[in-house]
Amino acid sequence: MCGIAGWIDWEKDLSEQHAVLRKMTASITHRGPDSEGFWLSRHAALGHRRLIVIAPEAGEQPMVYEHGNDKIVLTYNGELYNYRELRKELQEKGHVFQSLSDTEVVLHAYLEWQEDCVTHFNGIFAFGIWDEKVQRLMLGRDHLGVKPLFYTQVGHSVIFGSEIKVLLSHSAVHAEVDREGLAEIFGMGPIRTPGQAVFKGIKEVRAGHYALFTSSKKVTHPYWQLKSQPHTDDVDTTVSKIRTLLEDTVRHQLIADKPLVSMLSGGLDSSGLTAIAGQEYKEKGKRLHTYSIDFVNYEADFKEDFLRRDRDEPWVRKVSEYVGTEHHSIVIGADKLAENLLIPMRARDLPGIGELETSLYLLFKEMKKQATVALSGESADEVFSGYPWFHQPEFLDAETFPWLVNIDFIADVLTDEWKERLQLKAYQKQRYQEALAEVPLLENEDDRHRKQRQMSYMFITRFLTFMLDRKDRASMMTGFEVRVPFCDYRLVEYLWNIPHELKSIDDIEKGILRRALKPYLPDEVRNRRKSGYPSTNDQTYLKAIGQMMVTVLEDPQSPLRRFVKIDRLMQIAQGEDQEITDEQARHVLDYLLQVNAWLKEYEITINL
């Protein structure tokens, strides 16, 4: 895993712009702490930060291919899980390799297939390729959007990078936000519109897309999309195909030249991956290490709610003992959560979900001490339609994104003036209608199945990208790579057309996955009902962020003050507001503390 940066200008000579390029790459040193590299020519400057995972002695970047008049330069973040198969295929076509790295495979795949190279990849990736002969830039991103990629066009320039901060490190790019950006911040929350980066003029390469830039035009193209068709496999065949795909995916994603571990929550998803990986390790005479997160006093503080049925730790111990892993439980206190609240915002360059992101960052920070790579069960709920919303009419019939139903407590604290200016409900509706228009519907599908398909699309293309962003920024902030086997595009393609009643066979969410994992897990673990990512219930944390908000509101220079009803937010911060629950108050305070710090630290200019 790595960080990439680039600056292309068809009019300006960039060959001496080392200082600018170094500043851009320095902003993402955390993504690649092991080494750095630069390549400059008259109209292109490419930079790279490397985190070594595969082929430590090779894969230095930017990587250059030169033959006759051809000169192709690659800066690449990610991993191809099928790089060995692709390498063999390319060798059979006459390509000669100098290393065993997947980076060189990406480069030669472009030489062979040009922009169609992405259709041959199975992995997680974001890259920039500069073709010196034809003066063309290609930006490509993986199928599900596991790895991030942003760009902006300024005059005759294209500036791109793994994170927004790369672009903002360039003097031509300004931290400016317009009405649409504010509507994203206050109306969409952390689950934002794909392709939009909130900052004015900055775009995100969408998952499953590539973009081509020349001096005269830009072309973006979706190389991978979900396609709807009838599911014709019977139950046993469906179970068998899912199991086979998962086994193949995990086997490929265990490839690493650095220590690899697995995240383990005791839930179905992470337990299943851990069991498959654990068996692979046993066959090689090795023992898999696993990690979970817990909170100080969580056993006493735990409260069952809509998303969390029970504590993870008892289940974690059961799975670890059953699979035979060496387990590590990372226990985090409320003080650490409060102290580190703003770090994920700085990693993401945008406000996030607060404590749920902070705890993940702290977990990865501890895991990094022993390993470089981890497997995660992230995304199984999105691709297997595992959330309760998929069968509840209140959400299926809602004319908005399901996660926005009855969630108005952020907008409620805005001033009437800003509510009127931003028209958040209208903005949400516009974005929802745009998403609906993208859904590949199946002919003659009944109303209920159509709505479930639409909801599935929302989760895969919107909610999942948010979850993957959270995972990527929180992990890469510590120079740590997290792999997500449930995001293998082959599995996602297959699951897309499985009807919801088959996905939830045996009258339980993800029932089809439970059947697929029968050879790997004991029944009590397979039948554990979904319980969401843990969240602290320690009142100490709520009091700490409440005091932080009081300090913000009492400071006349705080940029948040212009947007909010100060008296109302002060009541929430002091625990005196009776209209919202403690959990809602925590979300409000977490998020708006980040908004304030974001506006201040990034020196945001508001341009309506």
Side-chain angles (χ1 to χ4, degrees), residues 216-266:
S216 59
K217 66 178 180 179
K218 176 189 83 170
V219 175
T220 59
H221 182 72
Y223 67 85
W224 181 79
Q225 294 173 302
L226 294 167
K227 297 179 181 178
S228 297
Q229 57 192 27
H231 181 76
T232 57
D233 289 342
D234 61 23
V235 174
D236 290 343
T237 303
T238 300
V239 169
S240 177
K241 283 189 177 180
I242 291 171
R243 183 186 301 129
T244 299
L245 280 167
L246 276 177
E247 290 170 342
D248 182 69
T249 298
V250 172
R251 195 175 300 115
H252 277 82
Q253 295 196 21
L254 289 177
I255 297 171
D257 293 322
K258 296 287 184 176
L260 181 147
V261 298
S262 184
M263 299 176 71
L264 178 61
S265 69

Side-chain angles (χ1 to χ4, degrees), residues 1-4 28 30-33 48-51 53 61 75-81 102 106 118 121-128 139-151 160-164 194-195 203-210 223 253 347 364 372-374 376 378-379 460 464-485 487-488:
M1 286 300 123
C2 308
I4 67 175
I28 47 170
H30 52 275
R31 294 190 74 91
H48 190 264
R49 294 290 321 191
R50 189 180 185 202
L51 172 66
V53 175
Q61 296 188 54
T75 182
Y76 159 67
N77 165 32
E79 286 177 354
L80 296 189
Y81 301 128
D102 63 330
V106 173
V118 286
F121 296 161
N122 182 348
I124 54 178
F125 55 84
F127 63 81
L139 300 180
R141 193 175 180 206
D142 63 72
H143 301 71
L144 274 298
V146 179
K147 292 286 109 182
L149 185 54
F150 298 91
Y151 70 91
F160 68 91
S162 292
E163 297 180 9
I164 295 172
K203 300 293 183 183
E204 175 187 49
V205 177
R206 286 191 63 171
H209 284 62
Y210 65 78
Y223 67 85
Q253 295 196 21
F364 291 143
T372 303
V373 190
S376 167
E378 196 81 87
S379 83
I460 292 172
L464 178 56
T465 53
F466 148 71
M467 296 291 281
L468 294 173
D469 278 349
R470 179 184 77 143
K471 184 83 72 183
D472 175 82
R473 303 311 190 282
S475 61
M476 294 304 289
M477 194 66 172
T478 67
F480 187 70
E481 176 197 325
V482 179
R483 297 174 176 176
V484 278
C487 278
D488 187 295

Side-chain angles (χ1 to χ4, degrees), residues 421-486:
R421 275 179 154 185
L422 299 180
Q423 295 292 309
L424 298 181
K425 288 294 184 184
Y427 185 79
Q428 291 170 353
K429 184 176 181 180
Q430 173 196 341
R431 290 308 193 189
Y432 180 69
Q433 292 299 324
E434 290 171 356
L436 274 185
E438 296 175 6
V439 182
L441 297 176
L442 185 62
E443 191 175 352
N444 298 322
E445 197 165 39
D446 64 42
D447 185 62
R448 182 168 144 285
H449 285 95
R450 176 179 56 80
K451 288 180 178 179
Q452 287 171 336
R453 186 178 294 275
Q454 289 171 334
M455 184 176 285
S456 180
Y457 187 86
M458 302 302 166
F459 274 98
I460 292 172
T461 62
R462 269 71 177 170
F463 196 86
L464 178 56
T465 53
F466 148 71
M467 296 291 281
L468 294 173
D469 278 349
R470 179 184 77 143
K471 184 83 72 183
D472 175 82
R473 303 311 190 282
S475 61
M476 294 304 289
M477 194 66 172
T478 67
F480 187 70
E481 176 197 325
V482 179
R483 297 174 176 176
V484 278
F486 286 111

Side-chain angles (χ1 to χ4, degrees), residues 193-366:
T193 305
Q196 303 299 317
V198 175
F199 292 87
K200 186 177 180 181
I202 296 180
K203 300 293 183 183
E204 175 187 49
V205 177
R206 286 191 63 171
H209 284 62
Y210 65 78
L212 299 173
F213 302 85
T214 64
S215 60
S216 59
K217 66 178 180 179
K218 176 189 83 170
V219 175
T220 59
H221 182 72
Y223 67 85
W224 181 79
Q225 294 173 302
L226 294 167
K227 297 179 181 178
S228 297
Q229 57 192 27
H231 181 76
T232 57
D233 289 342
D234 61 23
V235 174
D236 290 343
T237 303
T238 300
V239 169
S240 177
K241 283 189 177 180
I242 291 171
R243 183 186 301 129
T244 299
L245 280 167
L246 276 177
E247 290 170 342
D248 182 69
T249 298
V250 172
R251 195 175 300 115
H252 277 82
Q253 295 196 21
L254 289 177
I255 297 171
D257 293 322
K258 296 287 184 176
L260 181 147
V261 298
S262 184
M263 299 176 71
L264 178 61
S265 69
L268 177 70
D269 314 329
S270 65
S271 298
L273 296 183
T274 295
I276 297 172
Q279 182 168 303
E280 289 283 325
Y281 266 50
K282 279 182 185 177
E283 291 174 0
K284 295 177 181 177
K286 298 192 292 184
R287 190 180 186 190
L288 182 67
H289 285 245
T290 50
Y291 285 79
S292 65
I293 189 169
D294 201 6
F295 299 103
V296 173
N297 299 323
Y298 197 48
E299 185 172 2
D301 292 338
F302 178 79
K303 298 174 184 176
E304 183 177 351
D305 60 27
F306 177 68
L307 292 177
R308 300 171 188 86
R309 295 174 178 269
D310 52 14
R311 291 176 57 241
D312 285 344
E313 282 302 300
W315 295 96
V316 167
R317 289 193 293 270
K318 289 179 183 179
V319 176
S320 176
E321 291 171 6
Y322 184 83
V323 176
T325 74
E326 184 166 333
H327 188 71
H328 312 261
S329 180
I330 307 302
V331 182
I332 298 172
D335 56 339
K336 289 293 183 184
L337 291 171
E339 287 171 17
N340 291 277
L341 172 63
L342 298 179
I343 291 181
M345 180 275 293
R346 294 166 186 148
R348 187 194 280 269
D349 301 311
L350 291 166
I353 53 173
E355 171 250 323
L356 294 176
E357 227 163 340
T358 311
S359 62
L360 197 61
Y361 159 76
L362 292 170
L363 172 62
F364 291 143
K365 188 177 180 181
E366 289 299 312

